[in-house]
Amino acid sequence: MPKQNTQTLLAASPNDAIEHVIATKLARAVFAGFEGMFAAFLNITLGAQSRFEQRQWLDVQSAMRERLQVYERQVKSVSNAVRIIAFKELHDPRLWEQAKHIYGEMVENHENQPIAHTFFNSTFGSIWDDKKIRTVHLFVLKAKYRAKPRPFDNLVSRISLQNGFTHAVAQLIYRQAFRVKFTDLNKDVDALQRTLTLGAKQQCRQVYELMNLNDGFIEYANSLFFRNKACYLIGRCIAKNGDNMPFAVAILHTENGLKLDAVMMGADQLSLLFGFARTYFMVDTDQPARYVDYLSVLMPHKQRFELFNAIGFIKHAKTEFYRYKVDTTKNSPTHDKYIIAPGTPGMVMLVFTTPHSDYVYKVIKDRFSAPKTSTKAQVMAKYDFVKQADRVGRLVDTHEFRYLAFDLSRFSDELLEQMRASIGNSMAISNKALVLKHVYVERKMTPLNLYINQCDNKQLSNVMHDYGKAIKDLAEANIFPGDMLMKNFGVTRWGRVVFYDYDEICPLTDCEFRDLPTSQNSFDEISSESYFDVAENDVFPSQFNVFFSANRQAFSYFCQQHHNLFSPEFWQQCQNQINAGHLADVYPYKQSWRFIPKPPQDASCSWS
């Protein structure tokens, strides 16, 4: 608790004294709420290993959804308490400024100070809502609110290579404590040792040479990273001169026991594991900020907000993203203006970006173009559905912001006019800032319909295969994209196809997949009116070929692998699997990185 100056309090007026008392109570309430939020978050996370060991895959998904609710639920609870505590002074800016100062002293040396700051910001925002919020009341941009990297030695362990690299790799796995045994640990360790050696030889020659000299270390994080049906052992091979090769070992729990399934090596391969289209890891730690510091060393090209997001601290990730956004704007040339994002303009969203940005900003339009009939509330519900879903590497994660400010000078008059016409109800201009009342932020990708016009035949074949695989992966995860036009999919730098247009997305099991009825009258089939009854949830897969009407070659490549998507039987079989409780095996790494050969492709609904 912050210490009070007795003489100052005695000299203060009665109003000042009661204001200080209320501000202190308010700060304490927010701090208690933060501690409660963190405890609830950690308690759910602590069960990750047990769920993995018991193969409770449905419970894994339930726990993920439950953990996503913890933060908002706690903010709501604290906000209610604060309303009672503050009473008439609830919207007194001076009270909140004082409470912020007191709270700042309370968490000054707290292990998780950055996340505690964000929790205060969230509580303040929930109280003030659409009222003018000044940064003096928030922990955001000042340098003193930005956490500096701290030592992470207590989060990692090291194994010397002095007894040989093979022995060190074996120790790396033997030290991991599970209630379940490995099926064939010696075989797995041998495969891991050989793969790491080959990876070091190809990617980090210095590490490879020191491996052979039995010099250096293997370092690994003390906490395992759990997600979906796998857990991951994260670490790096380190040479004494500082050169290092990060790695992540994937461990699966099969019906026969545990097995090492794959290893990812180097920052780029780890980046795929921590990708923006994946659901969040569960990591047993009460020091998440230090883990982000460690992960930043392993993947230096990853931004801090991406790493906080990856381990489930999505609200603090938004704080870190805002800092990143402000910094990149300040450091970019003044002629780097916002533009409408490349691609086919949407009927529901206005999407803008800058040419050199890695992110796009999506704002729901005031009015939707025909034939869209959704409401703004329905579109927001779709985005919330995606946030709660297992994205299986095929749905872009989004950050939802309210009252996000932009530098007004970065918008051309033409763009501002277009924005006023389409999203005027969601924007406001205040002095030198353009403020968006509600906006989604997503990673920028190349729209698939643009990509296929600028790639060669081999790339076209590969991306069409992955386009169909993306649709199937989503189907296996009980997700139906709705509008599957290529303009609604993007291509990542890895050539992976990801879906990003959510206004028609829904659970697969809500759909009724049907054959298109035939008519005895040929005039019926060319009529603009339907000649049969169509329910709102009816889907006719035979009509999906319209997605390829502009590119015959793309359609040909697609059909070679995914012709079964045009029949109701494929979708119905997926629904049956889902209703029977099956969960797909989704590997966030390439098949070629696995220690087992790739299984043969099957035209049926694949669960591998």
Side-chain angles (χ1 to χ4, degrees):
M1 286 293 299
K3 296 180 180 179
Q4 307 304 325
N5 187 311
T6 305
Q7 291 184 338
T8 300
L9 289 176
L10 289 173
S13 69
N15 285 342
D16 289 340
I18 189 63
E19 184 178 276
H20 183 84
V21 169
I22 295 171
T24 302
K25 291 178 182 291
L26 193 154
R28 290 173 61 193
V30 177
F31 180 72
F34 164 70
E35 294 279 69
M37 178 280 297
F38 196 89
F41 183 98
L42 186 57
N43 283 340
I44 295 172
T45 303
L46 289 171
Q49 179 162 340
S50 181
R51 289 186 287 270
F52 172 76
E53 291 169 339
Q54 297 178 67
R55 292 171 49 82
Q56 295 176 334
W57 309 133
L58 293 175
D59 288 347
V60 167
Q61 292 199 333
S62 297
M64 184 271 292
R65 289 190 292 269
E66 171 65 17
R67 198 176 69 166
L68 284 171
Q69 306 301 319
V70 164
Y71 192 97
E72 293 288 0
R73 189 165 58 235
Q74 194 70 4
V75 167
K76 183 177 180 180
S77 175
V78 172
S79 298
N80 291 336
V82 165
R83 285 184 174 91
I84 296 172
I85 293 167
F87 189 37
K88 292 184 296 184
E89 289 82 11
L90 182 65
H91 291 115
D92 181 349
R94 287 198 319 153
L95 178 77
W96 279 96
E97 188 173 352
Q98 189 173 169
K100 175 194 170 186
H101 175 72
I102 297 169
Y103 185 86
E105 290 183 341
M106 292 172 68
V107 301
E108 184 174 3
N109 298 311
H110 196 286
E111 170 62 36
N112 295 303
Q113 181 202 62
I115 303 169
H117 283 169
T118 289
F119 191 83
F120 183 93
N121 295 345
S122 298
T123 305
F124 178 77
S126 73
I127 295 291
W128 284 69
D129 194 26
D130 61 347
K131 298 174 181 67
K132 185 173 179 63
I133 296 176
R134 295 176 59 210
T135 55
V136 71
H137 301 117
L138 302 176
F139 298 93
V140 183
L141 293 178
K142 288 187 178 180
K144 65 180 179 179
Y145 302 145
R146 302 191 182 205
K148 295 179 174 58
R150 293 176 294 175
F152 46 76
D153 293 350
N154 64 318
L155 303 182
V156 300
S157 297
R158 284 187 170 186
I159 303 169
S160 172
L161 300 185
Q162 63 182 2
N163 294 320
F165 184 65
T166 301
H167 178 267
V169 171
Q171 285 298 307
L172 173 69
I173 304 303
Y174 295 154
R175 288 186 183 184
Q176 309 311 312
F178 293 99
R179 297 183 182 95
V180 186
K181 293 184 178 180
F182 281 83
T183 305
D184 193 341
L185 186 54
N186 291 335
K187 179 182 176 182
D188 287 353
V189 168
D190 182 60
L192 176 61
Q193 183 269 325
R194 285 185 284 104
T195 308
L196 282 172
T197 301
L198 180 60
K201 184 176 183 180
Q202 295 174 343
Q203 297 188 36
C204 193
R205 194 73 191 181
Q206 293 272 17
V207 171
Y208 173 71
E209 290 174 357
L210 288 172
M211 283 179 180
N212 292 327
L213 294 173
N214 297 339
D215 205 353
F217 304 90
I218 291 180
E219 178 186 88
Y220 64 92
N222 294 330
S223 296
L224 294 165
F225 287 59
F226 293 89
R227 187 173 66 192
N228 294 335
K229 292 184 175 182
C231 90
Y232 300 89
L233 173 57
I234 309 290
R236 55 180 174 161
C237 300
I238 310 175
K240 282 194 173 178
N241 67 354
D243 286 345
N244 66 91
M245 182 185 72
F247 64 79
V249 182
I251 305 172
L252 303 184
H253 186 185
T254 70
E255 293 180 354
N256 298 321
L258 300 180
K259 58 173 276 191
L260 305 185
D261 189 63
V263 61
M264 288 132 276
M265 295 168 288
D268 282 345
Q269 291 188 10
L270 257 68
S271 176
L272 194 61
L273 179 64
F274 284 79
F276 57 84
R278 302 285 174 187
T279 193
Y280 313 112
F281 287 105
M282 290 202 175
V283 187
D284 171 10
T285 179
D286 54 5
Q287 299 176 297
R290 289 185 196 262
Y291 258 104
V292 166
D293 293 336
Y294 181 56
L295 294 171
S296 295
V297 171
L298 303 185
M299 294 171 282
H301 58 288
K302 281 279 188 186
Q303 299 296 329
R304 288 181 65 82
F305 66 85
E306 295 177 286
L307 297 172
F308 272 110
N309 204 59
I311 62 174
F313 289 89
I314 58 178
K315 295 298 181 181
H316 184 64
K318 287 171 57 176
T319 301
E320 295 280 353
F321 175 82
Y322 183 69
R323 292 167 178 159
Y324 165 83
K325 170 187 168 296
V326 170
D327 292 346
T328 52
T329 300
K330 284 182 178 179
N331 295 329
S332 64
T334 55
H335 61 263
D336 194 22
K337 306 279 189 179
Y338 289 107
I339 59 171
I340 295 296
T344 306
M347 292 180 280
V348 171
M349 293 280 195
L350 181 140
V351 187
F352 67 94
T353 185
T354 63
H356 301 104
S357 174
D358 289 329
Y359 296 87
V360 298
Y361 301 90
K362 303 174 69 171
V363 186
I364 302 174
K365 292 182 177 180
D366 297 337
R367 293 171 299 279
F368 301 161
S369 306
K372 298 290 186 180
T373 59
S374 304
T375 66
K376 183 173 182 177
Q378 288 172 329
V379 173
M380 292 172 65
K382 299 288 188 181
Y383 275 75
D384 187 59
F385 165 74
V386 170
K387 200 71 178 176
Q388 309 294 324
D390 181 358
R391 296 190 302 279
V392 294
R394 298 297 188 175
L395 296 174
V396 179
D397 195 11
T398 60
H399 290 298
E400 182 180 10
F401 284 90
R402 297 182 187 275
Y403 302 96
L404 185 61
F406 296 80
D407 182 349
L408 181 60
S409 68
R410 301 283 178 151
F411 294 83
S412 67
D413 291 341
E414 293 79 9
L415 179 55
L416 283 174
E417 193 60 36
Q418 187 173 351
M419 294 174 75
R420 287 190 183 98
S422 59
I423 61 167
N425 294 339
S426 294
M427 60 179 279
I429 293 177
S430 176
N431 297 323
K432 296 181 180 180
L434 184 149
V435 180
L436 291 177
K437 300 175 185 177
H438 185 258
V439 58
Y440 296 101
V441 182
E442 290 180 0
R443 189 65 179 255
K444 183 194 291 184
M445 293 176 289
T446 304
L448 180 56
N449 63 318
L450 300 185
Y451 180 88
I452 65 172
N453 293 323
Q454 62 192 38
C455 63
D456 58 34
N457 268 341
K458 183 177 180 181
Q459 290 171 323
L460 181 62
S461 174
N462 289 340
V463 82
M464 283 299 101
H465 169 65
D466 204 57
Y467 174 34
K469 187 67 170 64
I471 295 170
K472 289 180 175 178
D473 285 348
L474 290 171
E476 294 167 354
N478 195 21
I479 295 171
F480 182 64
D483 188 348
M484 293 187 289
L485 288 167
M486 282 189 272
K487 70 182 182 69
N488 297 326
F489 289 80
V491 183
T492 72
R493 67 188 182 97
W494 286 89
R496 185 173 178 83
V497 177
V498 180
F499 188 64
Y500 54 60
D501 192 317
Y502 301 150
D503 55 276
E504 292 189 16
I505 202 168
C506 68
L508 188 80
T509 48
D510 285 357
C511 301
E512 185 70 33
F513 293 95
R514 298 174 54 189
D515 280 316
L516 196 66
T518 57
S519 171
Q520 302 300 320
N521 187 338
S522 59
F523 290 104
D524 286 341
E525 299 188 10
I526 61 174
S527 171
S528 59
E529 304 260 337
S530 176
Y531 58 89
F532 55 90
D533 291 333
V534 180
E536 186 177 351
N537 63 337
D538 280 347
V539 180
F540 302 96
S542 61
Q543 295 184 318
F544 290 170
N545 57 14
V546 71
F547 303 148
F548 301 91
S549 57
N551 194 311
R552 289 180 176 273
Q553 187 62 55
F555 183 56
S556 174
Y557 284 135
F558 187 90
C559 285
Q560 289 175 17
Q561 297 282 348
H562 304 297
H563 61 276
N564 54 335
L565 287 174
F566 300 112
S567 69
E569 289 76 19
F570 166 83
W571 302 93
Q572 292 164 358
Q573 184 179 353
C574 286
Q575 288 177 320
N576 292 337
Q577 295 273 20
I578 292 164
N579 289 330
H582 289 280
L583 289 180
D585 292 325
V586 180
Y587 304 113
Y589 39 85
K590 292 186 177 182
Q591 188 73 27
S592 59
W593 299 350
R594 301 184 66 198
F595 296 149
I596 61 172
K598 183 178 179 180
Q601 282 289 336
D602 190 299
S604 64
C605 181
S606 171
W607 297 94
S608 61

